[in-house]
Amino acid sequence: MATNKFCEITSEILALSELSKQASYIPPELYSKYDVKRGLRDINGKGVLVGLTEISDVCSTETINGEVVPAEGKLFYRGYNVQDLVRGIEPESHFGFEECTYLLLFGKLPTQEELQNFCKILSEYRTLPTSFVRDIILKAPSKDMMNTLARSVLTLYSYDDLADDISLPNVLRQCLQLISLFPLLSVYGYQAYRHYHDGASLFIHTPKPELSTAETILHILRPDSKYSPLEAKLLDIALILHMEHGGGNNSTFTTHLVSSSGTDTYSAIAAAIGSLKGPKHGGANIKVVQMFEDMKAVIHDWTDEDEVSSYLRALLHKEAFDRAGLIYGMGHAVYSLSDPRAVIFRSFVERLSKEKGYDKEFALYSMVERLAPQIIADERKIYKGVSPNVDFFSGFVYHMLDLPLELYTPIFAIARISGWSAHRLEELVNKGKIIRPAYKYVGHHFDS
């Protein structure tokens, strides 16, 4: 197939890129010499303190006799343990994503009346401008749904008469609209992609006002709009567990960073989407699913611990899957003994695997969950424990829900927009200075 001239890498570009590579290289030892904490993390993996927040708290240690030691992970939204929040909405009660969104934005759990009114506002906002689907989403659909989502968000700026107004009421209005519209922008973008790139039938289902966010996703995604109560409940749990994770994760810090410049909501959220798109951030659960697909194809007996262990060691030795030397879904930048989101997810995952006939796959996931931490400890020098993170199970959940790989990261964004919104509001309310960290110049000065 002929290469598109627009994206051709010419010999001149190759030569210039080599010059750029040479000009951009900084000797690694200089980072230690000048005490630069790369990734804003110290040598022990602890994040550099750059701000304050009341929105959420990620806990992985406790102090015993004056010594800080690893502890079972905990995650708090506005002071409430996420485990308690999830427990409060299962199994047959209301959906929790909207309730937790209210909590993140307004600092308290809503009363039943407040929740009903809030859901009504979100439902009323879940309507795209006239012809937006036809003119923006269906034309020139991208093969990457995060690209489609970012483009759609930036285009909504053009439909907003108060786009640049960063007063609190207006920003709140914009955030609530984006929270409501993210499912439509993501799923409609995927439907357009399937239709134009894969030749599939085009389905554009209109959202129903009585449905929750989780139900809306399944309703507008599936051709027959059908789903089981457990499927909708588990997707709701997934949204809750992904909606917020402290101010220091890359996309949320991006939201603070860009918001501090005084820019508009659409630009700030589009920047956060760009961050989440990166495979080191939002795309990790895709890697988990792909790794397990490779594992299932290579391993003859999924119940053989020795064979599974050999595969895991091959991963670490860069001899299997993508040869990156990683067991995807294992380990976290903050958590060590456990990721509370993975712990919460696990029981729901087991229930869905039984309903959907994925018992053997769940047994394999459980075996890897048990074996991988010990194998990593044997093969690598690590400063803290390793345990499954939320991505370890979320990709499996989306696979069981028949969600396409292309939507895995957008669903993360559908959840995280609630957290981004809360952090944008927090940044604007506190009127902080523009965020501008220092970079030390280590090049040379040339006399003229």
Side-chain angles (χ1 to χ4, degrees), residues 269-376:
I269 298 303
I273 292 171
S275 165
L276 190 67
K277 178 185 176 183
K280 293 182 180 180
H281 189 6
N285 53 19
I286 297 176
K287 281 291 190 179
V288 175
V289 170
Q290 292 173 335
M291 178 186 74
F292 269 93
E293 288 302 308
D294 182 74
M295 190 185 310
K296 289 188 290 184
V298 170
I299 295 175
H300 297 93
D301 183 358
W302 298 0
T303 65
D304 187 332
E305 289 195 10
D306 291 336
E307 194 174 2
V308 172
S309 295
S310 296
Y311 180 89
L312 296 177
R313 292 186 189 278
L315 286 173
L316 295 178
H317 294 161
K318 300 183 179 181
E319 299 169 351
F321 185 42
D322 60 358
R323 290 171 168 74
L326 299 171
I327 300 178
Y328 292 101
M330 285 290 154
H332 189 270
V334 179
Y335 299 122
S336 54
L337 299 185
S338 65
D339 181 337
R341 302 167 299 173
V343 174
I344 294 168
F345 228 172
R346 196 183 192 285
S347 63
F348 291 96
V349 173
E350 185 172 10
R351 285 167 54 192
L352 186 63
S353 68
K354 291 179 180 178
E355 178 181 288
K356 305 280 284 186
Y358 282 89
D359 303 76
K360 292 182 179 179
E361 283 83 356
F362 180 75
L364 179 60
Y365 270 79
S366 298
M367 185 184 296
V368 173
E369 175 189 19
R370 177 168 49 85
L371 295 175
Q374 183 58 52
I375 290 172
I376 293 172

